[in-house]
Amino acid sequence: MNQEIFERVQEIVVEQLDVEEEKVTPQAHFQNDLGADSLDTVELVMALEEEFDVEIPDEAAEKIATVEAAVEYIDEKLKAAA
Amino acid sequence: MVSLLSKRVVVTGLGAITPIGNTLTEYWEGLLGGRNGIGPITLFDASQHACRFAGEVKGFDPHDYLPRKDAKRMARFAQLAVAASKQAIADAQFEIDDLNAERVGVILGTGVGGLKVMEDQNEVLLTRGPSRCSPFTVPMMIANMAAGLTAIHTGAKGPNNCTVTACAAGSNAIGDAFRLIQQGYAQAMVCGGTESPITPLSVAGFASAKALSTRNEDPTTASRPFDRDRDGFVMGEGAGILLLEELESALKRGVNIYGELIGYGMTCDAYHMTKPVPSGMGAMRAIELALQDGGLEPDMVSYINAHGTSTPANDPTETQAIKKALGDSAYQVAVSSTKSMTGHLLGGSGGIEAVATVMAIAQDRVPPTINLTNPDPDCDLDYVPNQSRPLKVEVALSNSFGFGGHNVTLAFRKYSP
């Protein structure tokens, strides 16, 4: 897992979901562990899109359940664009 | 008329977040002291606006009442409402629990709801496109969300509603809540009004309608109800909340009773979108209906908290309405407009003004109309100019009138068994 991307994702999740940084581990599940509801999730995805200047389609966003999944998805997108 | 079987309804809790104080005590002391809550607009850059001042709430921290994440997802009018509602419930020492939750409801009025959210998101829509609009756009903006969120944050699962009758909304909320308790549909109701209308679009729109004062050179004297030199209303923000309770419930709990709500009158001018009917007949009928509803005679009224907006049209029209409804007794009544201090909170005004009316009854003091230095000859009642005064207040009325021709009067009485 790309550490730099993880740290940027972590920072956004802390800000968006108002959770403590220690809780935002790679394995953390957005809904089960970090208290995100359906509206929070939409807003979080939008924030990630802005931060990394990538597009995350709804079908992809629905499958991203954990912090690590988000980091992996963004990493692949960035590599594909490079 | 209400049947003999209807329940008596008393006020056991009050909450207020206003331009002159963020607690009941600060607000009431501010009113009695003639405190002025009007100043330059700081909530946005108003330098291009015709009106550049308002009555802003100062030093309000929503996190005193709400978790951070929740506060972030709420428009300011809803934050103010939840905060003032929590104050009122605490003031009444009322516990909402599993046993009573379904018998405790919420009705909150607002005129423009989350207008600021709509303005901000419309900017996002136009500059960055539809895909960037927040998923919280609609839930934050809609006017009923103050009542919805107050229920979420207090656990009140009973009747829940939102009145949107412009500047009469707060009073309609209290009147409608009164009826629900009278008729046995609820044991207690959190009710009142909330508003946060100091936004670029709202100030621009009201200014274009020529409703706002443009006394930019001297904002603290701009809200001057019943004065010859008034030139429009001054916008304010905040929330005023009453905890209404069935009398038996309050007695059983042994709590302080501020006063009893005994009458509710509601009419419409059916005349013009923004102008009151010049004869004042719509407002007169609202006052008369509230008196009839409470079984009151005109000479029993000691105090009226007027709508008193400081617009050229309202103040003489309301004066006529009071005189027609009360007859000769009108000249014996103390009438004041506390908007002279707070500004006009639109849908919130009925809330904070009901709080002031109830406090006048509870404390036998009436707040003044400040900035009344040059009385309008068409406004010839006793407006309690510039100084509060002690007065035995047995019965008091609160008037609220709104764009659309809505007229509402609430009648409160000192509680006696």
Side-chain angles (χ1 to χ4, degrees), chain A residues 15 35 40 46 49-50, chain B residues 68-69 72-73 128 132:
Chain A
E15 165 66 24
D40 292 329
M46 286 168 61
E49 287 180 325
E50 301 237 324
Chain B
R68 287 187 60 83
K69 189 179 147 194
K72 201 169 89 174
R73 281 138 173 68
R128 298 165 61 205
R132 308 322 299 171

Side-chain angles (χ1 to χ4, degrees), chain B residues 19 54-56 195-198 233-238 342-346:
Chain B
E56 294 183 351
E195 203 79 87
S196 179
I198 305 169
F233 80 79
V234 178
M235 199 177 275
E237 63 168 356
T342 61
H344 185 1
L345 277 60
L346 310 184

Side-chain angles (χ1 to χ4, degrees), chain B residues 326-377:
Chain B
L326 300 190
D328 291 342
S329 302
Y331 292 96
Q332 315 305 321
V333 178
V335 179
S336 69
S337 171
T338 44
K339 289 187 180 75
S340 58
M341 296 170 271
T342 61
H344 185 1
L345 277 60
L346 310 184
S349 65
I352 65 165
E353 289 162 20
V355 171
T357 307
V358 170
M359 286 301 284
I361 286 176
Q363 305 229 332
D364 285 325
R365 288 191 71 91
V366 292
T369 304
I370 68 165
N371 295 321
L372 181 45
T373 49
N374 191 7
D376 181 338

Side-chain angles (χ1 to χ4, degrees), chain B residues 187-309:
Chain B
Q187 171 192 347
M189 293 293 296
V190 177
C191 57
T194 185
E195 203 79 87
S196 179
I198 305 169
T199 77
L201 184 59
S202 150
V203 173
F206 278 107
S208 292
K210 304 293 177 202
L212 294 181
S213 168
T214 54
R215 193 182 283 258
N216 291 298
E217 68 287 358
D218 192 10
T220 57
T221 66
S223 188
R224 43 192 321 120
F226 310 109
D227 188 280
R228 189 184 301 186
D229 301 323
R230 69 190 184 278
D231 71 327
F233 80 79
V234 178
M235 199 177 275
E237 63 168 356
I241 304 291
L242 277 57
L243 194 286
L244 294 182
E245 189 170 356
E246 183 197 325
L247 175 62
E248 291 304 318
S249 164
L251 292 176
K252 203 179 291 176
R253 299 194 306 113
V255 290
N256 173 50
I257 294 175
Y258 286 99
E260 182 170 0
L261 179 51
I262 56 170
Y264 175 32
M266 161 168 61
T267 69
C268 187
D269 286 350
Y271 172 71
H272 186 268
M273 286 166 71
T274 60
K275 270 193 300 196
V277 64
S279 63
M281 292 299 274
M284 178 205 77
R285 289 189 299 116
I287 296 169
E288 286 181 348
L289 289 171
L291 293 177
Q292 280 173 28
D293 192 34
L296 297 166
E297 296 300 327
D299 64 359
M300 296 163 79
V301 179
S302 321
Y303 171 63
I304 299 177
N305 188 297
H307 188 54
T309 53

Side-chain angles (χ1 to χ4, degrees), chain A residues 2-32:
Chain A
N2 184 312
Q3 187 63 22
E4 189 228 319
I5 294 176
F6 169 71
E7 283 169 16
R8 286 164 71 189
V9 169
Q10 191 181 40
E11 196 180 326
I12 287 172
V13 172
V14 166
E15 165 66 24
Q16 290 286 325
L17 302 181
D18 194 41
V19 288
E20 286 169 18
E21 193 179 284
E22 302 85 73
K23 287 195 167 175
V24 189
T25 59
Q27 293 73 37
H29 191 283
F30 290 117
Q31 299 199 5
N32 299 342

Side-chain angles (χ1 to χ4, degrees), chain A:
Chain A
M1 190 183 63
N2 184 312
Q3 187 63 22
E4 189 228 319
I5 294 176
F6 169 71
E7 283 169 16
R8 286 164 71 189
V9 169
Q10 191 181 40
E11 196 180 326
I12 287 172
V13 172
V14 166
E15 165 66 24
Q16 290 286 325
L17 302 181
D18 194 41
V19 288
E20 286 169 18
E21 193 179 284
E22 302 85 73
K23 287 195 167 175
V24 189
T25 59
Q27 293 73 37
H29 191 283
F30 290 117
Q31 299 199 5
N32 299 342
D33 301 322
L34 302 175
D37 64 21
S38 58
L39 296 178
D40 292 329
T41 308
V42 176
E43 198 176 52
L44 180 62
V45 168
M46 286 168 61
L48 293 172
E49 287 180 325
E50 301 237 324
E51 169 71 17
F52 295 98
D53 195 21
V54 295
E55 198 179 324
I56 308 177
D58 288 350
E59 316 81 72
E62 279 164 22
K63 292 182 191 135
I64 301 174
T66 64
V67 173
E68 186 169 23
V71 173
E72 299 290 356
Y73 183 86
I74 291 163
D75 196 12
E76 274 176 37
K77 275 271 189 177
L78 292 177
K79 278 180 187 153

